[in-house]
Amino acid sequence: KENHHLKALDIFNYNMNESEFVTRLLAAAATSKHLEYLGLWNNRIEDNGAKFIADFLDHRSHLHFVNLHGNLISDKGAITIGKAVAKHQHLKVLNLSYNSIADDGMQVLAKAVEQTVHLKFLDLQHNSCAKIGAMSFAHALEKTQTLKYLNLSENDKIPKIACDAVEDVAKGRGIAYVGPKHTVHSAFRGMTHALRHILRLNSHKNKKLEDFDIALLQAEDFEHDIEIHAAEPTETA
């Protein structure tokens, strides 16, 4: 039965690493044509679960926000998600923080940043990005027309030369960027949670969800805070 009212689905800390469960959950979510927020954070869905998320993205064109924080997703899962994001029509916020995505996955996600015309916020904090992945993002930031926020903090394998390359492009393009050696200001770190609560509030009131542009415009001060509180990168290669 189609659900005309479900706009936000948020399930966390459930340890849903069984593919069958993820499949059934997404099948249920697929009954709503109006779903705009999908949050499955800290659920250990792993790469198999990420594949189902990618398939779900292919068929749910109205999703604006996907939160996959802390799900043991590696390169394999990130590649499938990145390919889906590249052709998605509405996705504006993607949180893949605290996973295990290395350079292969990062390159595909960076390519998605180049190709998508909607993605504005990408959180990749605490993954395994190194030089190749970071340089891919430096190239992607030169081409993106929409991305406003990129978080690569706690990716400690990124060398200083690559970190500086990303930062230079980000500054030139007016993109808020947090690198691997930077202290993440609490305002930036809490952005995904703030956006999620905005969605919950609007969904609870059964109103049409506001465009993410409104929430992101409210975050302009965060960029200022990031620049003030960012620590200088170390000299280690």
Side-chain angles (χ1 to χ4, degrees), residues 28-49:
T31 63
S32 173
K33 290 185 177 180
H34 304 284
L35 188 70
E36 298 189 14
Y37 168 81
L38 178 64
L40 297 176
W41 47 292
N42 285 345
N43 284 306
R44 302 173 67 90
I45 67 171
E46 302 180 347
D47 290 337
N48 285 337

mmCIF file with all atom_site columns, all heavy atoms in Angstrom, residues 28-49:
data_model
loop_
_atom_site.group_PDB
_atom_site.id
_atom_site.type_symbol
_atom_site.label_atom_id
_atom_site.label_alt_id
_atom_site.label_comp_id
_atom_site.label_asym_id
_atom_site.label_entity_id
_atom_site.label_seq_id
_atom_site.pdbx_PDB_ins_code
_atom_site.Cartn_x
_atom_site.Cartn_y
_atom_site.Cartn_z
_atom_site.occupancy
_atom_site.B_iso_or_equiv
_atom_site.pdbx_formal_charge
_atom_site.auth_seq_id
_atom_site.auth_comp_id
_atom_site.auth_asym_id
_atom_site.auth_atom_id
_atom_site.pdbx_PDB_model_num
ATOM 1   N N   . ALA A 1 28 ? 9.789  -1.213 1.965  1.00 0.00 ? 28 ALA A N   1
ATOM 2   C CA  . ALA A 1 28 ? 8.709  -0.511 2.661  1.00 0.00 ? 28 ALA A CA  1
ATOM 3   C C   . ALA A 1 28 ? 8.798  0.984  2.411  1.00 0.00 ? 28 ALA A C   1
ATOM 4   O O   . ALA A 1 28 ? 7.783  1.663  2.169  1.00 0.00 ? 28 ALA A O   1
ATOM 5   C CB  . ALA A 1 28 ? 8.775  -0.800 4.160  1.00 0.00 ? 28 ALA A CB  1
ATOM 6   N N   . ALA A 1 29 ? 10.016 1.529  2.455  1.00 0.00 ? 29 ALA A N   1
ATOM 7   C CA  . ALA A 1 29 ? 10.202 2.964  2.224  1.00 0.00 ? 29 ALA A CA  1
ATOM 8   C C   . ALA A 1 29 ? 9.813  3.341  0.794  1.00 0.00 ? 29 ALA A C   1
ATOM 9   O O   . ALA A 1 29 ? 9.355  4.452  0.541  1.00 0.00 ? 29 ALA A O   1
ATOM 10  C CB  . ALA A 1 29 ? 11.646 3.360  2.493  1.00 0.00 ? 29 ALA A CB  1
ATOM 11  N N   . ALA A 1 30 ? 9.978  2.393  -0.114 1.00 0.00 ? 30 ALA A N   1
ATOM 12  C CA  . ALA A 1 30 ? 9.683  2.670  -1.518 1.00 0.00 ? 30 ALA A CA  1
ATOM 13  C C   . ALA A 1 30 ? 8.197  2.884  -1.776 1.00 0.00 ? 30 ALA A C   1
ATOM 14  O O   . ALA A 1 30 ? 7.810  3.354  -2.842 1.00 0.00 ? 30 ALA A O   1
ATOM 15  C CB  . ALA A 1 30 ? 10.199 1.531  -2.397 1.00 0.00 ? 30 ALA A CB  1
ATOM 16  N N   . THR A 1 31 ? 7.367  2.557  -0.790 1.00 0.00 ? 31 THR A N   1
ATOM 17  C CA  . THR A 1 31 ? 5.928  2.760  -0.961 1.00 0.00 ? 31 THR A CA  1
ATOM 18  C C   . THR A 1 31 ? 5.553  4.237  -0.869 1.00 0.00 ? 31 THR A C   1
ATOM 19  O O   . THR A 1 31 ? 4.423  4.603  -1.172 1.00 0.00 ? 31 THR A O   1
ATOM 20  C CB  . THR A 1 31 ? 5.131  1.967  0.093  1.00 0.00 ? 31 THR A CB  1
ATOM 21  O OG1 . THR A 1 31 ? 5.468  2.455  1.404  1.00 0.00 ? 31 THR A OG1 1
ATOM 22  C CG2 . THR A 1 31 ? 5.430  0.485  -0.003 1.00 0.00 ? 31 THR A CG2 1
ATOM 23  N N   . SER A 1 32 ? 6.492  5.065  -0.431 1.00 0.00 ? 32 SER A N   1
ATOM 24  C CA  . SER A 1 32 ? 6.220  6.500  -0.345 1.00 0.00 ? 32 SER A CA  1
ATOM 25  C C   . SER A 1 32 ? 6.903  7.228  -1.492 1.00 0.00 ? 32 SER A C   1
ATOM 26  O O   . SER A 1 32 ? 8.122  7.183  -1.630 1.00 0.00 ? 32 SER A O   1
ATOM 27  C CB  . SER A 1 32 ? 6.715  7.070  0.982  1.00 0.00 ? 32 SER A CB  1
ATOM 28  O OG  . SER A 1 32 ? 6.592  8.477  0.983  1.00 0.00 ? 32 SER A OG  1
ATOM 29  N N   . LYS A 1 33 ? 6.119  7.919  -2.278 1.00 0.00 ? 33 LYS A N   1
ATOM 30  C CA  . LYS A 1 33 ? 6.674  8.706  -3.371 1.00 0.00 ? 33 LYS A CA  1
ATOM 31  C C   . LYS A 1 33 ? 7.230  10.043 -2.879 1.00 0.00 ? 33 LYS A C   1
ATOM 32  O O   . LYS A 1 33 ? 7.859  10.765 -3.639 1.00 0.00 ? 33 LYS A O   1
ATOM 33  C CB  . LYS A 1 33 ? 5.605  8.961  -4.428 1.00 0.00 ? 33 LYS A CB  1
ATOM 34  C CG  . LYS A 1 33 ? 5.198  7.727  -5.210 1.00 0.00 ? 33 LYS A CG  1
ATOM 35  C CD  . LYS A 1 33 ? 4.218  8.079  -6.313 1.00 0.00 ? 33 LYS A CD  1
ATOM 36  C CE  . LYS A 1 33 ? 3.856  6.861  -7.141 1.00 0.00 ? 33 LYS A CE  1
ATOM 37  N NZ  . LYS A 1 33 ? 2.903  7.196  -8.231 1.00 0.00 ? 33 LYS A NZ  1
ATOM 38  N N   . HIS A 1 34 ? 6.979  10.364 -1.611 1.00 0.00 ? 34 HIS A N   1
ATOM 39  C CA  . HIS A 1 34 ? 7.343  11.680 -1.094 1.00 0.00 ? 34 HIS A CA  1
ATOM 40  C C   . HIS A 1 34 ? 8.504  11.634 -0.104 1.00 0.00 ? 34 HIS A C   1
ATOM 41  O O   . HIS A 1 34 ? 8.809  12.648 0.527  1.00 0.00 ? 34 HIS A O   1
ATOM 42  C CB  . HIS A 1 34 ? 6.122  12.326 -0.431 1.00 0.00 ? 34 HIS A CB  1
ATOM 43  C CG  . HIS A 1 34 ? 4.942  12.421 -1.337 1.00 0.00 ? 34 HIS A CG  1
ATOM 44  N ND1 . HIS A 1 34 ? 4.858  13.363 -2.330 1.00 0.00 ? 34 HIS A ND1 1
ATOM 45  C CD2 . HIS A 1 34 ? 3.805  11.685 -1.415 1.00 0.00 ? 34 HIS A CD2 1
ATOM 46  C CE1 . HIS A 1 34 ? 3.715  13.216 -2.982 1.00 0.00 ? 34 HIS A CE1 1
ATOM 47  N NE2 . HIS A 1 34 ? 3.065  12.204 -2.446 1.00 0.00 ? 34 HIS A NE2 1
ATOM 48  N N   . LEU A 1 35 ? 9.146  10.493 0.040  1.00 0.00 ? 35 LEU A N   1
ATOM 49  C CA  . LEU A 1 35 ? 10.255 10.374 0.985  1.00 0.00 ? 35 LEU A CA  1
ATOM 50  C C   . LEU A 1 35 ? 11.405 11.280 0.559  1.00 0.00 ? 35 LEU A C   1
ATOM 51  O O   . LEU A 1 35 ? 11.900 11.184 -0.562 1.00 0.00 ? 35 LEU A O   1
ATOM 52  C CB  . LEU A 1 35 ? 10.734 8.924  1.052  1.00 0.00 ? 35 LEU A CB  1
ATOM 53  C CG  . LEU A 1 35 ? 11.763 8.621  2.142  1.00 0.00 ? 35 LEU A CG  1
ATOM 54  C CD1 . LEU A 1 35 ? 11.112 8.697  3.533  1.00 0.00 ? 35 LEU A CD1 1
ATOM 55  C CD2 . LEU A 1 35 ? 12.368 7.233  1.941  1.00 0.00 ? 35 LEU A CD2 1
ATOM 56  N N   . GLU A 1 36 ? 11.825 12.173 1.460  1.00 0.00 ? 36 GLU A N   1
ATOM 57  C CA  . GLU A 1 36 ? 12.895 13.123 1.147  1.00 0.00 ? 36 GLU A CA  1
ATOM 58  C C   . GLU A 1 36 ? 14.120 12.939 2.031  1.00 0.00 ? 36 GLU A C   1
ATOM 59  O O   . GLU A 1 36 ? 15.204 13.407 1.683  1.00 0.00 ? 36 GLU A O   1
ATOM 60  C CB  . GLU A 1 36 ? 12.365 14.559 1.269  1.00 0.00 ? 36 GLU A CB  1
ATOM 61  C CG  . GLU A 1 36 ? 11.249 14.849 0.287  1.00 0.00 ? 36 GLU A CG  1
ATOM 62  C CD  . GLU A 1 36 ? 10.870 16.317 0.239  1.00 0.00 ? 36 GLU A CD  1
ATOM 63  O OE1 . GLU A 1 36 ? 11.635 17.147 0.767  1.00 0.00 ? 36 GLU A OE1 1
ATOM 64  O OE2 . GLU A 1 36 ? 9.810  16.628 -0.312 1.00 0.00 ? 36 GLU A OE2 1
ATOM 65  N N   . TYR A 1 37 ? 13.957 12.298 3.174  1.00 0.00 ? 37 TYR A N   1
ATOM 66  C CA  . TYR A 1 37 ? 15.093 12.054 4.060  1.00 0.00 ? 37 TYR A CA  1
ATOM 67  C C   . TYR A 1 37 ? 15.182 10.568 4.386  1.00 0.00 ? 37 TYR A C   1
ATOM 68  O O   . TYR A 1 37 ? 14.198 9.949  4.784  1.00 0.00 ? 37 TYR A O   1
ATOM 69  C CB  . TYR A 1 37 ? 14.943 12.840 5.361  1.00 0.00 ? 37 TYR A CB  1
ATOM 70  C CG  . TYR A 1 37 ? 15.939 12.408 6.419  1.00 0.00 ? 37 TYR A CG  1
ATOM 71  C CD1 . TYR A 1 37 ? 17.247 12.881 6.388  1.00 0.00 ? 37 TYR A CD1 1
ATOM 72  C CD2 . TYR A 1 37 ? 15.597 11.489 7.407  1.00 0.00 ? 37 TYR A CD2 1
ATOM 73  C CE1 . TYR A 1 37 ? 18.175 12.470 7.326  1.00 0.00 ? 37 TYR A CE1 1
ATOM 74  C CE2 . TYR A 1 37 ? 16.518 11.075 8.351  1.00 0.00 ? 37 TYR A CE2 1
ATOM 75  C CZ  . TYR A 1 37 ? 17.807 11.565 8.307  1.00 0.00 ? 37 TYR A CZ  1
ATOM 76  O OH  . TYR A 1 37 ? 18.721 11.143 9.218  1.00 0.00 ? 37 TYR A OH  1
ATOM 77  N N   . LEU A 1 38 ? 16.379 10.000 4.190  1.00 0.00 ? 38 LEU A N   1
ATOM 78  C CA  . LEU A 1 38 ? 16.643 8.607  4.567  1.00 0.00 ? 38 LEU A CA  1
ATOM 79  C C   . LEU A 1 38 ? 17.851 8.581  5.483  1.00 0.00 ? 38 LEU A C   1
ATOM 80  O O   . LEU A 1 38 ? 18.960 8.926  5.080  1.00 0.00 ? 38 LEU A O   1
ATOM 81  C CB  . LEU A 1 38 ? 16.903 7.756  3.327  1.00 0.00 ? 38 LEU A CB  1
ATOM 82  C CG  . LEU A 1 38 ? 17.250 6.285  3.591  1.00 0.00 ? 38 LEU A CG  1
ATOM 83  C CD1 . LEU A 1 38 ? 16.071 5.560  4.248  1.00 0.00 ? 38 LEU A CD1 1
ATOM 84  C CD2 . LEU A 1 38 ? 17.643 5.580  2.289  1.00 0.00 ? 38 LEU A CD2 1
ATOM 85  N N   . GLY A 1 39 ? 17.638 8.219  6.733  1.00 0.00 ? 39 GLY A N   1
ATOM 86  C CA  . GLY A 1 39 ? 18.716 8.139  7.709  1.00 0.00 ? 39 GLY A CA  1
ATOM 87  C C   . GLY A 1 39 ? 18.870 6.723  8.229  1.00 0.00 ? 39 GLY A C   1
ATOM 88  O O   . GLY A 1 39 ? 17.963 6.190  8.860  1.00 0.00 ? 39 GLY A O   1
ATOM 89  N N   . LEU A 1 40 ? 20.008 6.105  7.935  1.00 0.00 ? 40 LEU A N   1
ATOM 90  C CA  . LEU A 1 40 ? 20.286 4.742  8.407  1.00 0.00 ? 40 LEU A CA  1
ATOM 91  C C   . LEU A 1 40 ? 21.662 4.723  9.072  1.00 0.00 ? 40 LEU A C   1
ATOM 92  O O   . LEU A 1 40 ? 22.494 3.885  8.769  1.00 0.00 ? 40 LEU A O   1
ATOM 93  C CB  . LEU A 1 40 ? 20.245 3.744  7.234  1.00 0.00 ? 40 LEU A CB  1
ATOM 94  C CG  . LEU A 1 40 ? 18.919 3.587  6.506  1.00 0.00 ? 40 LEU A CG  1
ATOM 95  C CD1 . LEU A 1 40 ? 19.074 2.648  5.322  1.00 0.00 ? 40 LEU A CD1 1
ATOM 96  C CD2 . LEU A 1 40 ? 17.847 3.069  7.441  1.00 0.00 ? 40 LEU A CD2 1
ATOM 97  N N   . TRP A 1 41 ? 21.876 5.631  9.990  1.00 0.00 ? 41 TRP A N   1
ATOM 98  C CA  . TRP A 1 41 ? 23.214 5.779  10.545 1.00 0.00 ? 41 TRP A CA  1
ATOM 99  C C   . TRP A 1 41 ? 23.472 4.820  11.711 1.00 0.00 ? 41 TRP A C   1
ATOM 100 O O   . TRP A 1 41 ? 22.581 4.464  12.456 1.00 0.00 ? 41 TRP A O   1
ATOM 101 C CB  . TRP A 1 41 ? 23.485 7.221  10.938 1.00 0.00 ? 41 TRP A CB  1
ATOM 102 C CG  . TRP A 1 41 ? 22.420 7.918  11.714 1.00 0.00 ? 41 TRP A CG  1
ATOM 103 C CD1 . TRP A 1 41 ? 21.181 8.286  11.277 1.00 0.00 ? 41 TRP A CD1 1
ATOM 104 C CD2 . TRP A 1 41 ? 22.506 8.358  13.072 1.00 0.00 ? 41 TRP A CD2 1
ATOM 105 N NE1 . TRP A 1 41 ? 20.486 8.923  12.263 1.00 0.00 ? 41 TRP A NE1 1
ATOM 106 C CE2 . TRP A 1 41 ? 21.281 8.979  13.389 1.00 0.00 ? 41 TRP A CE2 1
ATOM 107 C CE3 . TRP A 1 41 ? 23.494 8.293  14.048 1.00 0.00 ? 41 TRP A CE3 1
ATOM 108 C CZ2 . TRP A 1 41 ? 21.017 9.533  14.633 1.00 0.00 ? 41 TRP A CZ2 1
ATOM 109 C CZ3 . TRP A 1 41 ? 23.234 8.847  15.287 1.00 0.00 ? 41 TRP A CZ3 1
ATOM 110 C CH2 . TRP A 1 41 ? 22.010 9.453  15.561 1.00 0.00 ? 41 TRP A CH2 1
ATOM 111 N N   . ASN A 1 42 ? 24.755 4.390  11.788 1.00 0.00 ? 42 ASN A N   1
ATOM 112 C CA  . ASN A 1 42 ? 25.208 3.433  12.812 1.00 0.00 ? 42 ASN A CA  1
ATOM 113 C C   . ASN A 1 42 ? 24.404 2.137  12.779 1.00 0.00 ? 42 ASN A C   1
ATOM 114 O O   . ASN A 1 42 ? 23.938 1.639  13.796 1.00 0.00 ? 42 ASN A O   1
ATOM 115 C CB  . ASN A 1 42 ? 25.127 4.053  14.219 1.00 0.00 ? 42 ASN A CB  1
ATOM 116 C CG  . ASN A 1 42 ? 26.234 5.051  14.473 1.00 0.00 ? 42 ASN A CG  1
ATOM 117 O OD1 . ASN A 1 42 ? 27.217 5.101  13.745 1.00 0.00 ? 42 ASN A OD1 1
ATOM 118 N ND2 . ASN A 1 42 ? 26.065 5.863  15.501 1.00 0.00 ? 42 ASN A ND2 1
ATOM 119 N N   . ASN A 1 43 ? 24.270 1.571  11.587 1.00 0.00 ? 43 ASN A N   1
ATOM 120 C CA  . ASN A 1 43 ? 23.502 0.341  11.445 1.00 0.00 ? 43 ASN A CA  1
ATOM 121 C C   . ASN A 1 43 ? 24.290 -0.821 10.849 1.00 0.00 ? 43 ASN A C   1
ATOM 122 O O   . ASN A 1 43 ? 23.726 -1.876 10.606 1.00 0.00 ? 43 ASN A O   1
ATOM 123 C CB  . ASN A 1 43 ? 22.263 0.600  10.575 1.00 0.00 ? 43 ASN A CB  1
ATOM 124 C CG  . ASN A 1 43 ? 21.172 1.331  11.330 1.00 0.00 ? 43 ASN A CG  1
ATOM 125 O OD1 . ASN A 1 43 ? 20.751 0.912  12.383 1.00 0.00 ? 43 ASN A OD1 1
ATOM 126 N ND2 . ASN A 1 43 ? 20.735 2.457  10.783 1.00 0.00 ? 43 ASN A ND2 1
ATOM 127 N N   . ARG A 1 44 ? 25.577 -0.595 10.558 1.00 0.00 ? 44 ARG A N   1
ATOM 128 C CA  . ARG A 1 44 ? 26.437 -1.679 10.074 1.00 0.00 ? 44 ARG A CA  1
ATOM 129 C C   . ARG A 1 44 ? 25.863 -2.339 8.810  1.00 0.00 ? 44 ARG A C   1
ATOM 130 O O   . ARG A 1 44 ? 25.859 -3.568 8.682  1.00 0.00 ? 44 ARG A O   1
ATOM 131 C CB  . ARG A 1 44 ? 26.656 -2.728 11.165 1.00 0.00 ? 44 ARG A CB  1
ATOM 132 C CG  . ARG A 1 44 ? 27.273 -2.187 12.432 1.00 0.00 ? 44 ARG A CG  1
ATOM 133 C CD  . ARG A 1 44 ? 27.305 -3.243 13.537 1.00 0.00 ? 44 ARG A CD  1
ATOM 134 N NE  . ARG A 1 44 ? 28.206 -4.328 13.194 1.00 0.00 ? 44 ARG A NE  1
ATOM 135 C CZ  . ARG A 1 44 ? 29.499 -4.360 13.491 1.00 0.00 ? 44 ARG A CZ  1
ATOM 136 N NH1 . ARG A 1 44 ? 30.050 -3.326 14.135 1.00 0.00 ? 44 ARG A NH1 1
ATOM 137 N NH2 . ARG A 1 44 ? 30.258 -5.378 13.160 1.00 0.00 ? 44 ARG A NH2 1
ATOM 138 N N   . ILE A 1 45 ? 25.394 -1.536 7.877  1.00 0.00 ? 45 ILE A N   1
ATOM 139 C CA  . ILE A 1 45 ? 24.797 -2.122 6.677  1.00 0.00 ? 45 ILE A CA  1
ATOM 140 C C   . ILE A 1 45 ? 25.856 -2.678 5.724  1.00 0.00 ? 45 ILE A C   1
ATOM 141 O O   . ILE A 1 45 ? 25.537 -3.485 4.848  1.00 0.00 ? 45 ILE A O   1
ATOM 142 C CB  . ILE A 1 45 ? 23.905 -1.113 5.937  1.00 0.00 ? 45 ILE A CB  1
ATOM 143 C CG1 . ILE A 1 45 ? 24.733 0.035  5.352  1.00 0.00 ? 45 ILE A CG1 1
ATOM 144 C CG2 . ILE A 1 45 ? 22.804 -0.585 6.840  1.00 0.00 ? 45 ILE A CG2 1
ATOM 145 C CD1 . ILE A 1 45 ? 23.941 0.938  4.429  1.00 0.00 ? 45 ILE A CD1 1
ATOM 146 N N   . GLU A 1 46 ? 27.097 -2.221 5.855  1.00 0.00 ? 46 GLU A N   1
ATOM 147 C CA  . GLU A 1 46 ? 28.229 -2.711 5.073  1.00 0.00 ? 46 GLU A CA  1
ATOM 148 C C   . GLU A 1 46 ? 28.002 -2.509 3.566  1.00 0.00 ? 46 GLU A C   1
ATOM 149 O O   . GLU A 1 46 ? 27.097 -1.803 3.140  1.00 0.00 ? 46 GLU A O   1
ATOM 150 C CB  . GLU A 1 46 ? 28.527 -4.174 5.428  1.00 0.00 ? 46 GLU A CB  1
ATOM 151 C CG  . GLU A 1 46 ? 28.819 -4.365 6.913  1.00 0.00 ? 46 GLU A CG  1
ATOM 152 C CD  . GLU A 1 46 ? 29.106 -5.797 7.297  1.00 0.00 ? 46 GLU A CD  1
ATOM 153 O OE1 . GLU A 1 46 ? 28.844 -6.713 6.491  1.00 0.00 ? 46 GLU A OE1 1
ATOM 154 O OE2 . GLU A 1 46 ? 29.599 -6.018 8.425  1.00 0.00 ? 46 GLU A OE2 1
ATOM 155 N N   . ASP A 1 47 ? 28.849 -3.129 2.743  1.00 0.00 ? 47 ASP A N   1
ATOM 156 C CA  . ASP A 1 47 ? 28.798 -2.897 1.299  1.00 0.00 ? 47 ASP A CA  1
ATOM 157 C C   . ASP A 1 47 ? 27.548 -3.490 0.648  1.00 0.00 ? 47 ASP A C   1
ATOM 158 O O   . ASP A 1 47 ? 27.030 -2.930 -0.323 1.00 0.00 ? 47 ASP A O   1
ATOM 159 C CB  . ASP A 1 47 ? 30.053 -3.463 0.631  1.00 0.00 ? 47 ASP A CB  1
ATOM 160 C CG  . ASP A 1 47 ? 31.297 -2.662 0.971  1.00 0.00 ? 47 ASP A CG  1
ATOM 161 O OD1 . ASP A 1 47 ? 31.161 -1.477 1.328  1.00 0.00 ? 47 ASP A OD1 1
ATOM 162 O OD2 . ASP A 1 47 ? 32.405 -3.219 0.885  1.00 0.00 ? 47 ASP A OD2 1
ATOM 163 N N   . ASN A 1 48 ? 27.089 -4.615 1.152  1.00 0.00 ? 48 ASN A N   1
ATOM 164 C CA  . ASN A 1 48 ? 25.860 -5.198 0.600  1.00 0.00 ? 48 ASN A CA  1
ATOM 165 C C   . ASN A 1 48 ? 24.677 -4.256 0.815  1.00 0.00 ? 48 ASN A C   1
ATOM 166 O O   . ASN A 1 48 ? 23.851 -4.049 -0.079 1.00 0.00 ? 48 ASN A O   1
ATOM 167 C CB  . ASN A 1 48 ? 25.572 -6.554 1.234  1.00 0.00 ? 48 ASN A CB  1
ATOM 168 C CG  . ASN A 1 48 ? 26.483 -7.639 0.703  1.00 0.00 ? 48 ASN A CG  1
ATOM 169 O OD1 . ASN A 1 48 ? 27.023 -7.524 -0.394 1.00 0.00 ? 48 ASN A OD1 1
ATOM 170 N ND2 . ASN A 1 48 ? 26.670 -8.695 1.477  1.00 0.00 ? 48 ASN A ND2 1
ATOM 171 N N   . GLY A 1 49 ? 24.602 -3.693 2.021  1.00 0.00 ? 49 GLY A N   1
ATOM 172 C CA  . GLY A 1 49 ? 23.540 -2.733 2.295  1.00 0.00 ? 49 GLY A CA  1
ATOM 173 C C   . GLY A 1 49 ? 23.676 -1.486 1.446  1.00 0.00 ? 49 GLY A C   1
ATOM 174 O O   . GLY A 1 49 ? 22.677 -0.920 0.987  1.00 0.00 ? 49 GLY A O   1
#
